[in-house]
Amino acid sequence: MNRQAVDLLTQKSERNRTHRTPPVQPRTPATPPVAQPVAQPVAQPREGLRVLVVEADARAADTLLQSLARQGYSTQSVANGAQALREHGEVDLVLLDLDLPDLDGLEVCRGIRAVSETPIITLTARNSELDRVLGLQAGADDYLVKPYGFRELLARIEAIMRRVRRQAPPSRIVTHRGLCIDADARAATLEGEPLDLTRKEFDLLFLLASQPGTVIARRQIMAQVWGDAWSPRGRTVDTHVGTLRGKLGSSDWILTVRGIGFRLGHV
């Protein structure tokens, strides 16, 4: 091989080394992105709305309480009418079952409405037209028949509370033929003269005066004034009625309806 041929082969070998493809580096597998925890929606408080559930069935009460709590409501429950009459003043809304072990739900509804404008929604299996009429006449703001949809209940609660917020606070002063009772001040006067009443006498008189013309059953009086519809208390109600008549100056102020209860006189 002549020298010229050797030089050509040498130049070709050098060019191949110069343009050799660099070795392929092994690829590092991509690190998968770390999944970020998804924030769970938190129920917004419904402006601190306090709801009292009056339900004798413990399981049904628990289910309803949990569902309302998830929506941001502040909830509590009682299992009978006497407790409902004691606790309703501490809440903004009452969900009331009509079938209770001690008092009929309609009595409880009337008792609450006699002394308070707290909204009431009845939740009941009584589904006839007459039942609905009686419930609304007893003072319920709405009447929902079981079984019902929870979303419908929420919509009804919100509709009622919208109306309530637009209303002026109800007056807690009852006047009747010279008798004036201020429930907030816990003061009562007759013809301008103050009446010296005990706590139970005041509560009893206010209950009767807030429903003039309506006969209040003894059991309702015991539940609402003494917080107990069943415990035997002898002639407790009669004794307080007699004392009140003396302080009012006439037995005509409180009339006895035999076998039922009492009502305000001079109507």
Side-chain angles (χ1 to χ4, degrees), residues 111-147:
I112 294 174
R113 187 58 67 238
V115 297
S116 170
E117 292 298 320
T118 302
I120 303 170
I121 300 178
T122 58
L123 308 176
T124 177
R126 304 180 191 180
N127 61 359
S128 72
E129 180 182 7
L130 178 59
D131 288 323
R132 292 192 292 272
V133 169
L134 291 174
L136 295 171
Q137 288 180 340
D141 296 273
D142 205 347
Y143 193 101
L144 198 54
V145 176
K146 298 177 181 180

Side-chain angles (χ1 to χ4, degrees), residues 116-118 167-173 184:
S116 170
E117 292 298 320
T118 302
Q167 297 173 356
S171 173
R172 296 261 293 162
I173 299 176
D184 293 324

Side-chain angles (χ1 to χ4, degrees), residues 1 27 34 41 52 69 72 75 81 97 117 120 130 139 141 170 176 178 188 192 201 212 215 219 226 241:
M1 180 179 297
R27 296 181 62 186
V34 178
L52 175 65
T75 59
D97 184 16
E117 292 298 320
I120 303 170
L130 178 59
D141 296 273
H176 182 77
E201 290 168 355
V215 179
R219 192 166 61 175
W226 279 270
V241 166

Side-chain angles (χ1 to χ4, degrees), residues 15 47 51 56 58-59 77 85 118 123 134 140 148 176 187 215 251 256:
R15 284 197 304 269
E47 299 182 10
V51 180
R59 179 175 295 181
S77 69
L85 290 170
T118 302
L123 308 176
L134 291 174
Y148 55 84
H176 182 77
V215 179
S251 60
T256 301

